[in-house]
Amino acid sequence: MPPRSRNSRQPIASRLPCTVTGCHQTFASQQGRTKHVRSLHRSMDGHIRAPIPRPLVNVPAEENMELGGGFEDGQGAQGAPFGPEQTPEPEAPGSPSTEERPKGVTRHPHPYLTGSIYDERGRPLPKGSAPPPLTNRKPDDWTPFEDSLQFCIADFLYRREEMSQENINTLLNLWGLSVMQHGATFGPFDNYKHIFDTIDDIEQGDAPWMCMKVSINEQLDETAQSWKKKEYELWFRDPDVVLSNMLSNPDFDGQFDYQPYVEVDENNKRRWSDYMSGNYSWRQADAIYEADKSTRGATYVSIVLGADKTTVSVRTGDTEYHPLYLTIGNVHNNVRRGHRSAVVPIAFLAIPKGDRQHDNDADFRRFKSQLYHSSIAAIFETVKKYMTTPVLRRCPDGHFRRIIFDFGAFIADYPEQVMLAGVVQNWCCRCTALPSDIDGIGDPRTNELLDRLLEVPSMTHQKIWDEYGFNTSVIPFTRDYPRAEIYKILSSDLLHQVIKGTFKDHLVTWVEEYLNIAHEKADANTIMDEIDRRLAAVPPFSGLRRFKQGRRFKQWTGDDSKALMKIYIAAIKGLVPPEVVKCFTAFMDFCYIVRRNDLDTDALAMLKDALKRFHQYREFFRTYGVRGDGFSLPRQHSLVHYADHIRNFGAPNGLCSSITESRHITAVKKPWRRSNRYQALGQMLLINQRLDKLALARTHYTARGMLRPEHSRFLAPIAPVKVSKPGNEDDEDEDDEAGGAVDGERVLADVKLARTRYKLFSTPAELGEKLGIDDFPSMLETFLRGQLGYNDSDDEYSDDEDDRKIDYISSISTYRSAVATFYAPSDICGIRGMRREWIRCTPSWRKGGPRRDCVYLVEDDSKPGFRGLNVVRVKAFMSFNYEGTEYPCAAVEWFKKVGRRPDDETGMWIVKPDMSSGERDVTVVHIDSILRSAHLIPVYGSYYPTIPPDYDHNDSLDDFQAYHVNKYIDHHANEIAF
């Protein structure tokens, strides 16, 4: 039988009025009103508003009374009153506009380091003064290029295509022959050398690499090891030049904070997001002003570093590099995550090599650590004086400001943190908790604590090593710089501590170990095979990696771990005890909260609650013998420090090592592949220098109006939707599957059909026959009357042929996809926080079976989270014209919620198909009622007791009786579908 539609309605005593002033239409249901507003009053509504998540946990009042809290008493940080002279403007310079900030949120900038503006000679300017011109050159001066064509060609061939020298020459020769046929004598460039020389002549972004010979300053005798006697090459760029280039980058305008600030909501609760919203910046600014009152009005710029070794080849030879990256805390997190020239390599550190006999030599390890710290200290010597005395620099908005630098967060994984902090392996780098009970009580590590220990006569270096975990033979580079303290600036590391560490290396491994303890070997293997088949049976979703063979592969990447996190809980439910599932759920709640772009005191309370539950349920693994030696794991212990990290540095996703690891690709791996492998480092440095010049030249040309903004973005705008030719349902849909970041204007959600139709149907009956819905004309009539605002008593159309609205509609166009664009700053997004994804409804997906995605449908946006949403599955995207108005819509299958709250075990809502007479209910909805894609995972066991080995994952949404609404598919879904 064909699916049935929802055409019958129950009479309702009272009706709901339209929420738009001036419209007198009334509705029988909230859903009808919501669809009416989103279709007919779109210009008034402005955009689709996503439901705002509400806090799940009440926060004690004392949680608000931390640095920057207590504004109800008129006090700023550390009790500093905002008197008449200190009261800042409502909006700090360079801060996001009020329209981009959540309603009721207020920002209180630092009262002393205020980011005042000056002219190029250092003379103060009144607020509101126009900045000086970026350059005195003429608007058509493309120096060193002759014109825009030359620049675009050089940028395309060198940066985007990374074309080889030989291929560039071939292309230019063909180009020259082509233009000679039309009377020209030469092409845009003579050869590859002409292009490279022109790029080298770019003034913007010029920061040449330099080499310094470094060695340890010790008295050595003849018996000293060769690695001690050797001088090492340290390649670096002057950080003062690099910082000046970064500060003057006009691409950061509007995405740059000139003052530390405290942000509170309408209930006076503290909020943290970008780096400058944290306590660390505020405290450092206080310290700068207290030490020198003449710094009043200066601009605080926090230098953020990141370091991590990387290997470019599995071959023998010198294939390992140790890049040091630099960024600044003033740029917003989304800019840093998207790079946008905000994360640049500042140095390639030396990697001492020794014989195998020295691999575990304590003296060799000490030597490497001290060489590491001495190198970083030497690199930043040129900016040391500007850490106490401000220096005049141009800023992204074009104004000049007095800049005072400071060392801020350092991004590093645990092995690098051990070397940075000078602590003993397996100890925490931030506190003195004992390795044998690392989740126990420990004092914060400070320079003062170490100095006091060294002053105690009875405290030998070995005793300090054993009892406090300090390696006193290593002097951190921060000791040479004012206000810097390495233990306070080590940032949390989401990638290695949470995703790769706690989730993959610990929890997933523990599940396998538990199964081997609780079951016979054959039974344990059977269960693990079932988990793998469940992972392989997960329905597709835009950008979701498929585990075709489960998780049975050897080379794991960070992206693999992230993908497994999204679907693992549903796969193990029913195969392991509920305590194990709840342990994963608590950990995932922690993970998704801590990875948000904006957090408040409620979120911190939720974070602490999730961590408490995680610690509670992980005890199962100790009880069952999986962790007989306890949980003294530094990476898991680091989770207890995340709340402090958020208070100090804002959202952790802005300081994650995934930023530096992805930067390895463009700064190390790709340049290495472009080299000839002989003394590759010099070639890699030159490539990086040229890429930086091209990037900054592009932003300058754009700021001067010489390039259109859409041509200046590193991330391309939304591309047209490609749709295969009508009439061939077996064509492969070639649309980009992942979607991803987009630099569009900020809206909370917007869904549009593909630009090109797939098929055209002349009548509703013809389309209904194709869809297998006999009463599709009736369904479409009901939809159209609802859109036109007819009362419920008129909804059921008359048998009179003259009363049928659908007889006057145009032919119906169908589409194979739609694109959803929505505000998701916690996910990979553009600089305005926008992300896009494809919603599929196609009879043939990648030459396989059909794919019909699920979506969130807004039913009542006054209710929080999933309570105001529903999940439907798209059967067809279509549009038609009635009396000059286009109606984009979709035929959808309905699901209904199981219970009134999420499942206790998995934390996810469960839905099941909404059935009538044994068939799934279908109706037509306006495209504007769709929020974005939804991902459903079967409740395994609700149809198949075990998944067949050859099961086709394309059938998953048809075969099972119940489904989890996957709130872990991404951060945006996690915030709206709790």
Side-chain angles (χ1 to χ4, degrees):
M1 290 180 61
R4 296 184 58 185
S5 63
R6 294 182 171 183
N7 286 327
S8 60
R9 297 190 181 182
Q10 299 296 327
I12 297 178
S14 60
R15 299 180 60 81
L16 302 174
C18 179
T19 57
V20 177
T21 304
C23 180
H24 304 290
Q25 182 63 46
T26 61
F27 303 91
S29 66
Q30 177 66 42
Q31 179 187 356
R33 179 169 65 177
T34 298
K35 290 190 288 186
H36 165 79
V37 171
R38 299 190 188 289
S39 58
L40 299 186
H41 298 298
R42 185 174 183 82
S43 61
M44 297 181 179
D45 193 43
H47 52 258
I48 300 175
R49 293 176 288 119
I52 300 175
R54 295 183 179 177
L56 299 178
V57 181
N58 291 324
V59 184
E62 58 268 19
E63 281 294 321
N64 192 38
M65 302 304 295
E66 50 190 315
L67 177 63
F71 287 106
E72 63 274 7
D73 296 325
Q75 300 293 312
Q78 298 182 351
F82 291 124
E85 182 181 357
Q86 303 170 12
T87 302
E89 294 294 323
E91 296 296 324
S95 62
S97 64
T98 305
E99 291 75 18
E100 293 187 359
R101 197 173 302 155
K103 183 179 179 180
V105 172
T106 305
R107 179 171 292 186
H108 300 271
H110 194 273
Y112 306 124
L113 270 62
T114 56
S116 300
I117 58 176
Y118 299 82
D119 65 14
E120 57 270 25
R121 296 185 180 180
R123 296 172 297 192
L125 293 175
K127 292 181 180 179
S129 299
L134 193 62
T135 179
N136 293 324
R137 290 178 175 170
K138 297 179 180 179
D140 59 348
D141 187 351
W142 290 85
T143 305
F145 301 95
E146 294 181 0
D147 50 30
S148 61
L149 178 63
Q150 265 204 347
F151 169 74
C152 291
I153 291 171
D155 183 65
F156 177 78
L157 296 179
Y158 194 85
R159 180 181 65 87
R160 293 191 55 182
E161 283 300 305
E162 301 176 356
M163 190 173 288
S164 67
Q165 298 174 8
E166 181 179 354
N167 286 346
I168 290 176
N169 279 343
T170 300
L171 177 64
L172 292 175
N173 287 336
L174 294 174
W175 194 324
L177 292 173
S178 175
V179 298
M180 287 174 62
Q181 295 178 359
H182 301 282
T185 57
F186 53 85
F189 290 100
D190 298 334
N191 48 41
Y192 80 86
K193 192 174 185 306
H194 187 189
I195 294 179
F196 292 176
D197 290 344
T198 306
I199 295 174
D200 291 337
D201 289 338
I202 297 174
E203 296 179 0
Q204 296 88 358
D206 189 21
W209 288 86
M210 299 174 287
C211 183
M212 178 191 303
K213 300 288 186 178
V214 293
S215 61
I216 295 297
N217 187 18
E218 295 178 356
Q219 295 293 331
L220 302 177
D221 55 28
E222 295 180 355
T223 61
Q225 298 292 338
S226 59
W227 41 263
K228 277 192 175 183
K229 298 177 182 179
K230 183 179 177 181
E231 283 190 331
Y232 296 89
E233 288 188 348
L234 169 63
W235 286 92
F236 70 103
R237 294 194 272 190
D238 186 346
D240 186 28
V241 176
V242 173
L243 287 166
S244 297
N245 291 338
M246 191 173 294
L247 285 169
S248 63
N249 191 339
D251 199 31
F252 300 154
D253 188 24
Q255 304 289 325
F256 193 97
D257 293 315
Y258 295 97
Q259 296 170 263
Y261 61 90
V262 168
E263 201 167 70
V264 295
D265 64 15
E266 56 189 355
N267 298 317
N268 219 31
K269 291 181 179 179
R270 181 78 182 274
R271 297 177 77 254
W272 295 268
S273 52
D274 294 309
Y275 182 94
M276 297 292 276
S277 68
N279 296 349
Y280 182 84
S281 297
W282 189 287
R283 289 188 179 121
Q284 295 298 92
D286 278 348
I288 291 169
Y289 177 75
E290 291 299 325
D292 184 0
K293 298 295 192 294
S294 68
T295 57
R296 188 185 186 100
T299 300
Y300 175 81
V301 173
S302 186
I303 299 173
V304 177
L305 301 177
D308 185 25
K309 286 184 183 178
T310 184
T311 302
V312 295
S313 173
V314 295
R315 301 169 186 166
T316 58
D318 189 15
T319 59
E320 190 177 34
Y321 296 97
H322 199 164
L324 178 69
Y325 298 103
L326 178 144
T327 182
I328 52 180
N330 306 71
V331 296
H332 293 176
N333 288 346
N334 53 330
V335 178
R336 194 178 302 114
R337 293 203 307 270
H339 301 306
R340 303 296 297 270
S341 301
V343 181
V344 299
I346 188 71
F348 279 76
L349 303 175
I351 305 178
K353 302 287 186 180
D355 297 331
R356 292 182 179 177
Q357 61 180 326
H358 301 122
D359 288 349
N360 296 317
D361 189 312
D363 191 34
F364 184 50
R365 290 198 299 268
R366 180 200 64 82
F367 172 81
K368 290 192 295 184
S369 297
Q370 198 54 64
L371 183 69
Y372 174 86
H373 283 280
S374 300
S375 299
I376 297 177
I379 290 169
F380 287 92
E381 192 65 32
T382 58
V383 298
K384 185 175 183 179
K385 56 186 175 183
Y386 303 137
M387 293 182 173
T388 52
T389 304
V391 60
L392 196 67
R393 292 286 183 264
R394 185 189 287 270
C395 294
D397 61 357
H399 283 294
F400 286 86
R401 289 177 173 83
R402 295 166 61 227
I403 304 296
I404 190 157
F405 294 110
D406 186 51
F407 275 123
F410 202 114
I411 305 170
D413 59 11
Y414 179 72
E416 193 102 17
Q417 288 184 358
V418 167
M419 186 160 58
L420 278 162
V423 300
V424 182
Q425 189 76 21
N426 294 325
W427 284 74
C428 176
C429 299
R430 299 185 63 180
C431 73
T432 59
L434 295 172
S436 57
D437 184 24
I438 202 166
D439 285 334
I441 299 175
D443 295 323
R445 293 189 183 275
T446 62
N447 289 340
E448 182 182 2
L449 173 61
L450 179 56
D451 292 341
R452 287 204 314 266
L453 292 174
L454 291 171
E455 291 172 359
V456 177
S458 62
M459 295 297 293
T460 63
H461 292 281
Q462 187 61 46
K463 195 171 183 180
I464 294 174
W465 173 293
D466 294 335
E467 296 183 8
Y468 291 89
F470 282 109
N471 182 356
T472 56
S473 64
V474 175
I475 303 174
F477 76 93
T478 52
R479 286 283 192 161
D480 292 339
Y481 289 85
R483 301 179 303 277
E485 195 162 352
I486 190 63
Y487 316 107
K488 294 181 179 179
I489 66 176
L490 292 175
S491 73
S492 297
D493 181 11
L494 288 171
L495 178 62
H496 294 94
Q497 293 170 348
V498 176
I499 299 169
K500 285 185 175 181
T502 304
F503 175 73
K504 185 185 78 70
D505 294 342
H506 297 161
L507 295 180
V508 175
T509 302
W510 294 352
V511 168
E512 184 172 344
E513 292 176 3
Y514 158 75
L515 292 174
N516 285 318
I517 293 174
H519 302 275
E520 296 292 335
K521 183 66 175 177
D523 294 337
N525 287 337
T526 299
I527 295 174
M528 285 188 283
D529 286 341
E530 175 65 13
I531 293 175
D532 287 338
R533 286 196 289 268
R534 289 182 174 187
L535 295 173
V538 170
F541 187 82
S542 180
L544 177 64
R545 182 209 190 285
R546 268 208 70 211
F547 291 86
K548 297 180 181 179
Q549 303 297 326
R551 60 183 190 91
R552 298 193 66 183
F553 53 93
K554 296 180 179 180
Q555 296 296 327
W556 279 81
T557 66
D559 289 339
D560 294 329
S561 298
K562 292 176 185 177
L564 185 63
M565 290 176 73
K566 300 175 180 180
I567 59 176
Y568 192 71
I569 291 178
I572 63 173
K573 181 184 177 182
L575 300 178
V576 296
E579 292 86 353
V580 175
V581 179
K582 290 180 179 181
C583 179
F584 273 88
T585 299
F587 170 74
M588 292 292 288
D589 287 342
F590 176 93
C591 180
Y592 275 76
I593 294 169
V594 82
R595 292 167 73 185
R596 292 181 184 176
N597 195 57
D598 298 281
L599 301 104
D600 56 16
T601 51
D602 289 334
L604 290 190
M606 293 164 60
L607 190 72
K608 293 177 182 178
D609 177 71
L611 185 59
K612 180 180 178 181
R613 289 187 286 114
F614 170 64
H615 287 162
Q616 173 189 345
Y617 290 119
R618 75 174 180 178
E619 286 297 322
F620 174 87
F621 294 106
R622 190 205 302 262
T623 303
Y624 223 90
V626 176
R627 293 298 303 175
D629 55 350
F631 302 101
S632 291
L633 303 165
R635 286 181 290 181
Q636 274 197 36
H637 164 73
S638 68
L639 305 185
V640 305
H641 293 300
Y642 270 77
D644 287 337
H645 171 101
I646 292 167
R647 294 188 184 97
N648 286 325
F649 301 116
N653 66 6
L655 297 174
C656 179
S657 62
S658 60
I659 296 173
T660 54
E661 288 215 351
S662 60
R663 195 67 173 92
H664 285 338
I665 298 173
T666 55
V668 182
K669 296 181 184 295
K670 284 187 176 181
W672 185 83
R673 297 187 192 109
R674 294 173 70 172
S675 72
N676 61 14
R677 313 295 196 273
Y678 176 71
Q679 296 183 345
L681 181 58
Q683 301 169 60
M684 294 161 59
L685 300 179
L686 184 58
I687 291 170
N688 272 289
Q689 183 170 309
R690 288 169 175 165
L691 291 174
D692 289 346
K693 287 188 171 189
L694 283 170
L696 201 54
R698 174 174 286 272
T699 62
H700 274 253
Y701 293 149
T702 303
R704 292 163 57 189
M706 300 162 67
L707 279 176
R708 294 201 303 272
E710 62 268 23
H711 291 168
S712 68
R713 298 302 184 193
F714 285 22
L715 299 173
I718 294 180
V721 180
K722 300 176 183 178
V723 180
S724 58
K725 296 179 180 179
N728 188 352
E729 297 181 2
D730 293 326
D731 282 349
E732 179 179 357
D733 193 333
E734 298 178 350
D735 290 353
D736 173 32
E737 167 65 357
V742 57
D743 279 351
E745 292 299 323
R746 174 173 169 178
V747 294
L748 290 185
D750 182 48
V751 180
K752 286 184 171 58
L753 297 177
R755 294 185 181 180
T756 306
R757 68 169 179 255
Y758 170 55
K759 278 190 176 182
L760 187 67
F761 294 86
S762 57
T763 65
E766 182 184 355
L767 177 55
E769 182 180 357
K770 181 67 177 178
L771 297 176
I773 306 174
D774 291 340
D775 56 350
F776 183 75
S778 171
M779 184 188 310
L780 199 62
E781 177 77 14
T782 301
F783 164 76
L784 182 55
R785 286 176 171 258
Q787 293 296 308
L788 297 174
Y790 278 68
N791 293 329
D792 281 356
S793 59
D794 298 327
D795 275 350
E796 298 298 334
Y797 64 83
S798 168
D799 290 336
D800 186 352
E801 294 295 327
D802 294 336
D803 194 39
R804 286 166 53 97
K805 305 295 181 185
I806 59 171
D807 291 340
Y808 302 97
I809 69 173
S810 64
S811 54
I812 304 175
S813 299
T814 60
Y815 304 83
R816 297 180 66 176
S817 63
V819 62
T821 307
F822 50 93
Y823 181 64
S826 300
D827 294 292
I828 298 175
C829 61
I831 61 171
R832 294 178 178 85
M834 297 304 298
R835 178 175 174 80
R836 72 171 180 188
E837 67 183 8
W838 299 104
I839 306 170
R840 309 288 180 181
C841 183
T842 174
S844 177
W845 174 247
R846 292 186 169 173
K847 299 182 179 179
R851 173 172 169 181
R852 296 183 177 91
D853 289 347
C854 297
V855 297
Y856 289 110
L857 201 69
V858 180
E859 288 199 299
D860 187 351
D861 55 10
S862 67
K863 294 181 179 180
F866 191 63
R867 290 170 177 85
L869 302 174
N870 210 331
V871 170
V872 297
R873 188 185 184 192
V874 180
K875 286 185 67 68
F877 284 120
M878 53 195 172
S879 69
F880 61 88
N881 189 284
Y882 177 77
E883 294 185 348
T885 300
E886 190 72 19
Y887 290 92
C889 52
V892 297
E893 296 177 347
W894 288 79
F895 293 84
K896 61 182 180 181
K897 302 179 181 71
V898 177
R900 298 183 178 181
R901 60 181 60 87
D903 175 44
D904 290 337
E905 198 171 332
T906 63
M908 293 183 276
W909 285 88
I910 293 178
V911 296
K912 64 181 181 179
D914 204 348
M915 311 289 286
S916 295
S917 302
E919 298 293 335
R920 295 190 179 188
D921 278 348
V922 180
T923 188
V924 176
V925 299
H926 198 284
I927 199 75
D928 283 348
S929 64
I930 296 176
L931 180 62
R932 55 155 297 184
S933 291
H935 188 231
L936 299 186
I937 302 180
V939 176
Y940 296 107
S942 63
Y943 182 80
Y944 292 105
T946 59
I947 303 294
D950 57 348
Y951 184 76
D952 186 351
H953 73 290
N954 291 308
D955 297 331
S956 292
L957 291 175
D958 297 307
D959 289 347
F960 292 85
Q961 298 175 3
Y963 298 87
H964 297 97
V965 180
N966 187 7
K967 70 174 185 178
Y968 300 119
I969 192 64
D970 54 41
H971 300 93
H972 183 258
N974 187 263
E975 293 183 24
I976 68 172
F978 65 86

